[in-house]
Structures are given as C-alpha cells and as structure tokens.
C-alpha cells in the first residue's frame, strides 16, 4: 500500500522552515501532498494560485524529492481532501510549544472526523523564529526577507513591493 501524507497550511508565503519540513516529510512517505488551504482566520497577502506556483518553484529550485505534489483546497474539510487522495497522515511543522497548543485540538478533531493521524515534525532549529506572518510584515514595510524565504519568494515579494 502506498503511504500518502498531506502537509497542509496557508503558505502565505512558503518559508524556509516550511521547505525544511516538506523535504523531511517527503523522505518518509511514498507521496507527499503539499496543500494550500484558505485559512479564514488570517488576512491573506497572496492569492492561492500564486502561493501554489511559488511552492512549486521553490520545491523545484531546492532540489526536493519528486514525490511531492502541490495542490490547493478551499471547499470542505481538510480530511475530505485526505480521503479523496488516499492519505491517512497529516504532517505539521512545530517550532515551539505555542505551535503544539495550536495544532493539538485540530489533530484530535481530524482523527475523530476521519481517522486521519497527525505527525508533528521539528524543523531545523535555525528556522524556529521564521513565520509567514513575520515575512508578510517585514516585506510590507520594505525590509529584506531573503534570509527567511526561498529565492523565488524573495524575488517575487521584492518585485511586487507588497
Ligand atoms: O498555515 P496555517 O494557517 O496555520 O494552516 C492552518 C490550516 C489551513 C491547516 C487549518 O486552518 C486547517 O486545517 N483548515 C482546514 C479546515 C478544517 O478542516 N477544519 C476542521 C478540522 S481542524
């Protein structure tokens, strides 16, 4: 049986911390879906299709494994997507206890809804302070985000001066 997992997130935009987790997770599964999900609790910077294309380019440029599929999902439950593609595992990157507290209720609910298990994965500690929201703020105020995001994202944000 193929082991299929999903890494869901807003990816607005994808950061080096996300890429680190995606690369590690891709080594553990036969197929890894990186799923861009609209999060109504956050005000978005980039449209979903731009987040997808920046993820695809960053994964390509980073030489990540070829078993990674990038997709988006904006209707229904995350576990419905998992069921559709035959995934039984969600992978979430964890930077701190704050992330554990945020992710744990969702992990329990997703297990109760559809038997989908969640694995918490630690990125390299050098990425522990990196978040998409910080990148959005720095980029919005004209700062340099290159240390925190893949080159494709830095180029795009600097080009558009968001
Ligand atoms: O990168 P984010 O914004 O922290 O990602 C959060 C996300 C998109 C993974 C989360 O909001 C989510 O799982 N949304 C899907 C909606 C859903 O299925 N909710 C019910 C179970 S938690």
């Amino acid at each position: 049986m193929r082991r299929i997992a999903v890494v869901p997130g807003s990816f607005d935009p994808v950061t080096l911390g996300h890429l680190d987790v995606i690369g590690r997770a891709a080594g553990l599964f036969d197929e890894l879906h990186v799923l861009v999900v609209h999060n109504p609790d956050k005000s978005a910077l980039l449209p979903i299709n731009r987040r997808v294309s920046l993820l695809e380019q960053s994964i390509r440029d980073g030489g990540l494994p070829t078993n990674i599929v990038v997709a988006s999902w904006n209707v229904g439950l995350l576990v419905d997507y998992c069921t559709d593609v035959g995934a039984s595992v969600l992978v979430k990157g964890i930077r701190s206890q704050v992330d554990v507290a945020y992710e744990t209720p969702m992990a329990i609910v997703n297990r109760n809804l559809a038997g989908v298990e969640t694995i918490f994965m630690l990125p390299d500690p050098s990425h522990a302070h990196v978040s998409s929201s910080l990148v959005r703020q720095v980029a919005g105020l004209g700062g340099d985000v290159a240390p925190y995001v893949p080159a494709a994202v830095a180029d795009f944000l600097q080009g558009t001066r968001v």
Side-chain angles (χ1 to χ4, degrees):
M1 196 172 98
R2 282 176 71 72
R3 296 166 306 158
I4 304 173
V6 176
V7 183
S10 300
F11 301 108
D12 185 32
V14 58
T15 67
L16 292 178
H18 290 133
L19 269 197
D20 183 59
V21 167
I22 291 166
R24 291 171 197 280
L28 299 177
F29 295 93
D30 296 312
E31 196 175 306
L32 186 74
H33 292 240
V34 179
L35 191 67
V36 179
V37 182
H38 170 66
N39 184 344
D41 296 334
K42 295 181 179 173
S43 59
L45 170 68
L46 304 174
I48 299 266
N49 61 348
R50 176 62 65 185
R51 296 183 224 168
V52 167
S53 64
L54 287 172
L55 263 164
E56 286 172 337
Q57 194 180 343
S58 303
I59 287 167
R60 228 178 8 252
D61 293 349
L64 268 61
T66 54
N67 61 339
I68 301 171
V69 177
V70 182
S72 63
W73 182 252
N74 56 12
V75 281
L77 295 166
L78 174 59
V79 292
D80 292 340
Y81 179 87
C82 295
T83 303
D84 282 0
V85 300
S88 53
V89 175
L90 290 164
V91 179
K92 297 287 188 85
I94 295 293
R95 292 161 300 187
S96 69
Q97 290 300 321
V98 175
D99 284 345
V100 174
Y102 173 69
E103 295 292 349
T104 299
M106 290 194 282
I108 301 290
V109 169
N110 284 325
R111 177 198 280 160
N112 290 344
L113 282 168
V116 175
E117 296 289 353
T118 298
I119 292 178
F120 291 162
M121 180 165 280
L122 301 177
D124 187 278
S126 62
H127 301 305
H129 58 293
V130 179
S131 69
S132 296
S133 57
L134 206 65
V135 167
R136 289 197 297 274
Q137 189 178 102
V138 172
L141 296 170
D144 180 16
V145 293
Y148 314 118
V149 294
V153 174
D155 290 350
F156 179 78
L157 293 179
Q158 273 148 21
T160 55
R161 255 308 154 236
V162 289

